[in-house]
Amino acid sequence: MTRTVYVNGKYLPENEATVSIFDRGFLFADGIYEVTSVLDGKLIDFDGHARRLARSLGELGMRNPIETEDLLDVHRELVRANDIVEGLIYLQITRGAAADRDFAYPSEDTPPTIVLFTQNKPGLADSPMAKVGIKVISIEDQRWARRDIKTVQLLYPSMGKMMAKAAGCDDAWMVEDGAVTEGTSNNAYIVKGGKIITRHLSNDILHGITRAAVLRFAREAQMDVEERAFTVAEAQEADEAFFTSASAFVMPVVELDGAAIGTGTPGPVATRLREIYLDESRKVAI
Ligand code: PDD
């Protein structure tokens, strides 16, 4: 089946969808994105992603080309047209195509580019990885200083994934000034003595939509949460570790830089939080 994608107001077969070579997303990574998961054919945390999208646009002084209600319609139409039961929707908005390559932003009347496409991922919620946990390495965080904005500059995270692969691992946790910031495409957590510890919000990390929901569910379940930075050594000595993202939900981490974390198997807190997150998110999916 040819995938139907959305480009600048039109639904098109993927091989007919085009963007200008002068698009600033292509030339300058001058764009932002969101990834929203789909379970049971419904959108998970759509409102949170729409709010963060508006914030990212605002921080970069970029015009929002679409009202939230219309954006919801586009998401739903793509889910329908592509028959997505479990999967992801990728959304990207760039500052559009100027007439030429120029570092200065183009004039205000340059229309932003908006692209959405689906990724079909049957079995996303029942991931075999979640049952065994994943292995991570630590690497230096060499990204820019505004990681709170969800920009499409993902070269360093891609390099981090490749470094992890080369080390026989699944992902990398990035470290700055001795403390873990976050994973290449997820927020990082440890559990010690029953307490869930995750880095506090600032410009140093992306404000994960899954993070916000998971911390809310954890607090509602009377779990202890502490928002502060932690070191690699602390993580290696933790009882458990895990990460969260829209594409992996809650994912247990069982090894860091070759050292087993806890028993080296997914811990009870991560496993419980994954169940709660999936159950509660499904209930309010739209
Ligand atoms: N990544 N931190 C980073 C650097 C991320 O790229 C992501 C998401 C997260 C988790 O945010 P959320 O819970 O809102 O997905 C944290 C997406 C999934 C991606 O790039 O594919």
Side-chain angles (χ1 to χ4, degrees):
M1 191 175 88
T2 307
R3 182 164 34 175
T4 299
V5 304
Y6 178 89
V7 184
N8 298 330
K10 293 199 184 86
Y11 294 94
L12 295 167
E14 63 181 42
N15 53 355
E16 288 175 27
T18 56
V19 172
S20 164
I21 63 159
F22 297 111
D23 194 274
R24 289 185 57 90
F26 180 57
L27 296 178
F28 295 101
D30 188 358
I32 52 105
Y33 77 108
E34 282 295 329
V35 176
T36 303
S37 57
V38 178
L39 294 177
D40 314 319
K42 291 183 178 170
L43 304 165
I44 302 294
D45 276 335
F46 175 81
D47 290 343
H49 289 286
R51 268 198 301 276
R52 186 173 61 193
L53 175 75
R55 179 179 182 276
S56 292
L57 290 168
E59 290 299 304
L60 294 178
M62 218 182 269
R63 185 147 61 83
N64 190 348
I66 190 160
E67 295 289 336
T68 302
E69 265 177 41
D70 296 332
L71 190 62
L72 177 58
D73 288 344
V74 175
H75 277 72
R76 285 176 162 161
E77 176 53 21
L78 288 177
V79 168
R80 192 203 59 75
N82 295 296
D83 234 348
I84 306 294
V85 178
E86 287 196 3
L88 303 170
I89 303 187
Y90 178 84
L91 153 69
Q92 177 169 331
I93 297 174
T94 76
R95 208 180 299 274
D100 203 349
R101 180 174 182 268
D102 188 346
F103 280 79
Y105 294 171
S107 65
E108 289 283 314
D109 54 6
T110 304
T113 301
I114 174 165
V115 168
L116 284 94
F117 59 82
T118 54
Q119 292 183 286
N120 193 24
K121 305 255 180 203
L124 187 66
D126 195 26
S127 157
M129 297 289 274
K131 296 188 177 77
V132 291
I134 71 144
K135 297 176 182 175
V136 301
I137 56 165
S138 65
I139 60 172
E140 196 189 328
D141 196 335
Q142 294 186 344
R143 297 173 300 162
W144 79 329
R146 288 303 307 274
R147 303 154 193 161
D148 56 309
I149 309 172
K150 199 164 172 60
T151 74
V152 297
Q153 325 172 45
L154 296 175
L155 184 53
Y156 190 68
S158 290
M159 289 166 70
K161 289 262 191 217
M162 296 312 289
M163 289 186 243
K165 263 191 180 199
C169 291
D170 309 289
D171 199 12
W173 278 10
M174 295 178 281
V175 176
E176 187 171 63
D177 300 330
V180 173
T181 50
E182 58 189 331
T184 58
S185 59
N186 47 66
N187 291 116
Y189 307 70
I190 57 172
V191 181
K192 186 74 181 172
K195 187 185 281 182
I196 299 161
I197 301 163
T198 192
R199 197 178 174 104
H200 51 284
L201 296 179
S202 70
N203 291 354
D204 297 338
I205 62 168
L206 186 73
H207 301 191
I209 302 306
T210 320
R211 177 190 183 280
V214 164
L215 293 187
R216 192 175 70 247
F217 296 141
R219 286 178 170 125
E220 281 169 12
Q222 315 300 325
M223 295 178 182
D224 213 359
V225 175
E226 191 178 350
E227 295 181 64
R228 65 159 173 88
F230 59 85
T231 65
V232 167
E234 211 179 343
Q236 287 174 321
E237 284 152 24
D239 302 326
E240 291 183 42
F242 62 94
F243 71 67
T244 64
S245 75
S247 51
F249 312 119
V250 177
M251 183 60 68
V253 172
V254 296
E255 194 182 296
L256 174 54
D257 288 341
I261 298 174
T263 60
T265 57
V269 173
T271 305
R272 179 89 191 100
L273 281 175
R274 184 177 174 90
E275 279 167 14
I276 298 177
Y277 178 76
L278 287 170
D279 286 352
E280 295 301 318
S281 304
R282 278 188 147 116
K283 279 188 210 158
V284 294
I286 58 171

